[in-house]
């Protein structure tokens, strides 16, 4: 099916229906709000990436270079804070979740459109407060804010804490909106087991967001109070216990990594089916494993505390449960491979990202199982092994999925095509750049290089140089992607209605969609991602209530 | 008939007497709780007080907040939230008892068994630096 | 939560009942987030109580139990009046509802007044949080922690009471204008749910801080 369109007509879409700054900044349209988020999230990503490059450049040399040690500490803290809370947690849900959820469910909007807009502005304000904290000098505690240092540090930690606290509300409101939308706005015929797998992933993510984030809010508040007023809730001299901070913090932050990764899995399921033109290997396995990850993910937080003085009983239990949660991910990996197998693969840039994600997920995930073993983690904890492990998942999986989604849904969102050749080249550069950046870090960590260290013994320099070279390649690839995506907004070839021949439900609406998504609500009759039949997936009934 | 219609019909049928009965029950239970606390029953006093609190909260949730009539997903959501608080509480408290006793805060019941009684840390003066040990007797 | 100029039904919902159901579910999800928020404080309380049982008991004796108990009855009554106001709004189109909401707000303000008086008494006796405590009997590790948690828990609760007063005030104004009926009472229902949550949290705070 030729991807490009031939008709020159310019229909009314959500992009051009109303014009002007107010029409965008005060919009209630979930699609416009998705684009507002996209703009801010991308800016935050650039900032976090800039900090990452600064760190990598400093680490080219073992001794002092370019920046002071305390500046280095501030930069890795802010890199973590921005990437975790201002990029990875919002990215896929607020951009693709916002845009696609109503389309996939056959709804005209989310359940609470004004709450959606509020969520955006809270995110914006939280970003600004964090930025202000940065400008004031920022925190130097690491993104994990461990007490007692975080409660006694002379740096500007309170604005950074408050920025994250504020962004947490945005996360909660978005999650709440998605949960209620999924429960109540499914179009006729859209049973739970007929929902696209993307919805299952976003739904599971939203459950985690809603249950875990309040605990983070509370613990950051406690740290801010203690820093500002010196109460001593975590100060042993007054009877406090730093380990309580860690229990509260990781109770949120471990599920938080699933907030970051489940949306990636959600995108992956959609993209794999679309580009293999094949049904998902086993729908229920993917749907239930998303819920399984969300649920069991809450039982594993202690594996971040193996060397902090956690009891051996707790350590043992957390170790076992942490391995258990890997099973759900493995189920997904086998499913995606099984879907690709004997599929009719349309080899485009997203497929490179699919293959990359599979490789990095298996590699990163297996190292996760390895560090879940307490006796091994005792040696690897706080080394670059851990850094490499989570970057394999955070960058290797989440960013690959983010890029995958950007390319797959680009025509849907903007009615234009990106340049395929440039995309293929960039994707390969990114894939190799990624490996070159983070694979050496496993070796560094296993060899004894500790994380968050400004200077290091000379013997580690070669691997650090390799890692920085890889980071430069990665940066180059990402810059290329950003450039052609922005340029294609205006000068890209106009896209046909369904350029990839995808059976995703979101492609039933116009490309790009009109403001109300569907003039007449569809009644779904077919299964999602069903390439085994040519029957229509939905029928439209003019003005029919359920 | 969909879920929303069931809920709408159910809330139309509730009589105001139900709210009065629940209110009286809440007041009585509060009084009982207060009385029990004055008896000084030790651990059992704690258990009973918490049990009464749970019953009171359940009454508020079921009848004042109409969970009795709201169905399905709301109940699941609430049960999950409460369950996760209990999870975090249990694991953290078990950790206090299961870890190396002196890994607990100085002055705690666990640490006191192994640390000498004299020279125990006391709360520092308000104008002292955080983390500094207090001086004086 | 979703009102349009041409009535109360938003375009993404097909019936008013579905919209009300969605709003209720949304409120329950929000209530779950509040449970987790205060839950973190309850966890901290249990954690430190396990370490300092005697010091917690001793510190609790220094709190003004009579004020805490009085406030419990005030809050329970306000919960009852709010529940009744919702019932009135559904059945008699709101005038009685507005009056009951005004009464509820009065009780809530009474709660805050008692709380404020209690805090002033606490400060007068040197019951400051954490390291700042001055009362000699509590200048030990567990006593300061208890007081720190006491102020965090009751303070956060008081903030929620204040927000609740704002919510009830808005509902009272709407009710007095006859905005609610058997067909449409969603904002009041949600506001009432929020108020009952505030009451439910105090139901746990009171024994943990004052009675045990």
């Amino acid at each position: 099916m030729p991807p490009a369109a031939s008709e020159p007509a310019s229909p009314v879409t959500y992009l051009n229906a109303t014009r002007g700054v107010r029409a965008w900044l005060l919009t209630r349209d979930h699609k416009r709000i998705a684009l507002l988020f996209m703009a801010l999230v991308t800016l935050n990503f650039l900032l976090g990436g800039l900090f990452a490059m600064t760190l990598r450049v400093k680490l080219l040399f073992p001794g002092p270079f370019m920046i002071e040690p305390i500046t280095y500490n501030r930069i890795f803290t802010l890199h973590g804070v921005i990437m975790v809370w201002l990029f990875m947690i919002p990215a896929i849900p607020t951009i693709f979740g916002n845009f696609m959820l109503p389309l996939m469910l056959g709804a005209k909007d989310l359940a609470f459109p004004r709450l959606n807009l509020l969520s955006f502005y809270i995110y914006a304000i939280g970003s600004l407060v964090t930025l202000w904290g940065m400008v004031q000098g920022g925190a130097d505690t690491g993104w994990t804010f461990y007490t007692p240092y975080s409660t006694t540090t002379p740096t500007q930690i309170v604005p950074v804490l408050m920025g994250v606290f504020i962004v947490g509300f945005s996360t909660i409101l978005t999650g709440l909106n998605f949960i209620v939308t999924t429960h109540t706005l499914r179009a006729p015929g859209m049973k739970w087991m007929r929902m696209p797998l993307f919805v299952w992933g976003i739904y599971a993510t939203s459950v985690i967001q809603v249950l875990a984030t309040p605990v983070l809010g509370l613990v950051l508040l406690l740290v801010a109070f203690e820093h500002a007023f010196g109460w001593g809730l975590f100060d042993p001299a007054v009877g406090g216990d730093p380990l309580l901070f860690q229990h509260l913090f990781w109770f949120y932050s471990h599920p938080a990594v699933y907030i970051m990764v489940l949306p990636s899995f959600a995108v992956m399921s959609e993209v794999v089916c679309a580009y293999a033109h094949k049904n998902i290997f086993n729908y229920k396995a993917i749907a239930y494993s998303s819920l399984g990850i969300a649920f069991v993910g809450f039982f594993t937080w202690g594996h971040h505390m193996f060397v902090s003085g956690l009891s051996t009983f707790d350590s043992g239990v957390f170790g076992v449960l942490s391995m258990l949660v890997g099973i759900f991910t493995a189920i997904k990996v086998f499913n995606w491979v099984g879907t690709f197998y004997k599929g009719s693969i349309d080899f485009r840039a997203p497929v490179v990202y699919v293959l990359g994600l599979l490789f990095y997920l298996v590699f990163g995930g297996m190292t996760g199982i390895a560090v879940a073993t307490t006796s091994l983690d005792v040696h690897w904890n706080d080394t670059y092994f851990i850094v490499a492990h989570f970057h394999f998942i955070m960058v290797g999986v989440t960013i690959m999925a983010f890029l995958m989604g950007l390319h797959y849904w680009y025509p849907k969102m903007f009615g234009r095509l990106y340049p395929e050749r440039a995309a293929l080249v960039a994707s390969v550069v990114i894939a190799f750049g990624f490996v070159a950046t983070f694979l050496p870090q496993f070796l560094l960590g296993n060899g004894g290089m500790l994380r968050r260290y400004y200077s290091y013994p000379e013997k580690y320099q070669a691997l650090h140089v390799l890692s920085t070279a890889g980071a430069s390649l990665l940066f180059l690839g990402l810059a290329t992607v950003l450039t052609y995506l922005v340029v294609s907004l205006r000068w890209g070839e106009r896209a046909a209605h369904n350029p990839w021949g995808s059976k995703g439900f979101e492609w039933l609406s116009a490309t790009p969609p009109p403001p109300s998504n569907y003039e007449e609500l569809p009644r779904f009759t077919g299964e999602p991602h069903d390439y085994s039949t040519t029957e229509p997936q939905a029928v439209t009934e003019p003005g029919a209530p359920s | 008939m969909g879920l929303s219609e069931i809920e709408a019909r159910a809330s139309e049928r509730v009589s105001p007497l139900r709210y009065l009965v629940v209110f009286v029950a809440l007041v009585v239970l509060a009084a009982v709780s207060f009385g029990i606390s004055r008896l000084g029953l030790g651990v059992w006093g704690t258990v009973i007080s918490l049990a009464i609190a749970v019953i009171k909260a359940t009454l508020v949730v079921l009848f004042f907040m109409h969970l009795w009539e709201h169905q399905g997903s709301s109940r699941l959501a609430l049960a999950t939230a409460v369950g996760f608080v209990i999870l975090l509480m249990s694991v953290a408290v078990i950790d206090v008892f299961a870890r190396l006793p002196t890994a607990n805060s100085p002055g705690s019941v666990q640490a006191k068994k192994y640390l000498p009684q004299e020279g125990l840390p006391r709360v520092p003066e308000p104008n002292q630096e955080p983390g500094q040990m207090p001086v004086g007797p | 939560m979703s009102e349009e100029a041409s009535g109360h039904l938003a375009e993404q919902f097909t019936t008013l009942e579905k919209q009300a159901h969605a709003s209720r579910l949304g409120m329950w999800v929000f209530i779950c987030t509040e449970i987790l928020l205060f839950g973190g404080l309850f966890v901290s309380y249990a954690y430190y109580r396990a370490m300092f049982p005697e010091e917690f008991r001793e510190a609790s004796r220094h709190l003004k139990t009579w004020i805490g108990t009085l406030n419990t009855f005030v809050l329970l009554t306000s919960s009852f009046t709010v529940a009744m106001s919702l019932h009135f709004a559904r059945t008699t189109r709101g005038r009685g509802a507005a009056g009951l909401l005004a009464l509820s707000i009065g009780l809530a303000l009474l709660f805050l007044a008692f709380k404020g008086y209690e805090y002033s008494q606490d400060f007068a006796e040197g019951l400051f949080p954490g390291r700042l405590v001055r009362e000699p009997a509590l200048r030990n590790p567990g006593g300061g922690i208890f007081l720190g948690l006491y102020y965090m828990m009751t303070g956060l609760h008081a903030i929620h009471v204040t927000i609740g007063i704002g919510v009830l005030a808005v509902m009272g104004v709407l009710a007095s204008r006859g905005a609610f009926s058997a067909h449409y009472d969603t904002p009041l229902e949600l506001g009432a749910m929020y108020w009952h949550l505030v009451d439910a949290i105090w139901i746990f705070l009171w024994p943990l801080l004052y009675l045990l």
Side-chain angles (χ1 to χ4, degrees), chain A residues 28 107-115 165 172-173 175-176 179-180 183-185 209-212 214-215 217-218 221-222 225 229-244 247-248 251 515-516 521 544-546, chain C residues 1-4 10-15 18-19 21-27 29-45 47-48 51-52 129-132 140-142 144-149 151-152 156:
Chain A
R28 290 183 207 177
K108 293 196 172 182
D109 207 313
L110 292 177
F112 308 122
R114 286 176 304 183
L115 212 64
F165 181 79
I172 288 173
L173 290 180
L176 189 157
I179 290 174
V180 177
H183 276 264
T184 62
L185 281 181
Q209 281 175 317
V210 151
L211 291 176
V215 179
L218 179 83
L221 206 63
L222 289 176
F225 261 82
F229 305 119
W231 286 5
L233 285 173
F234 300 117
D235 182 354
V238 198
D241 187 356
L243 225 60
L244 175 64
H247 274 295
L248 291 172
F251 184 79
S516 296
L521 284 184
S546 78
Chain C
M1 274 191 182
S2 4
E3 293 184 1
E4 296 297 300
E11 71 154 356
Q12 66 270 19
F13 291 103
T14 46
T15 69
K18 282 192 195 296
Q19 183 176 286
H21 170 71
S23 298
R24 271 191 292 268
L25 179 60
M27 194 62 198
V29 172
F30 177 71
I31 283 170
C32 288
T33 69
E34 295 278 18
I35 290 174
L36 264 303
L37 181 74
F38 279 93
L41 283 173
F42 287 122
V43 166
S44 307
Y45 176 93
Y47 189 85
Y48 283 128
M51 283 194 213
F52 301 109
R131 159 183 295 107
L132 309 172
N140 51 56
I145 295 283
F146 177 88
L147 289 173
L149 286 174
Y151 284 111
M152 276 303 304
L156 195 61

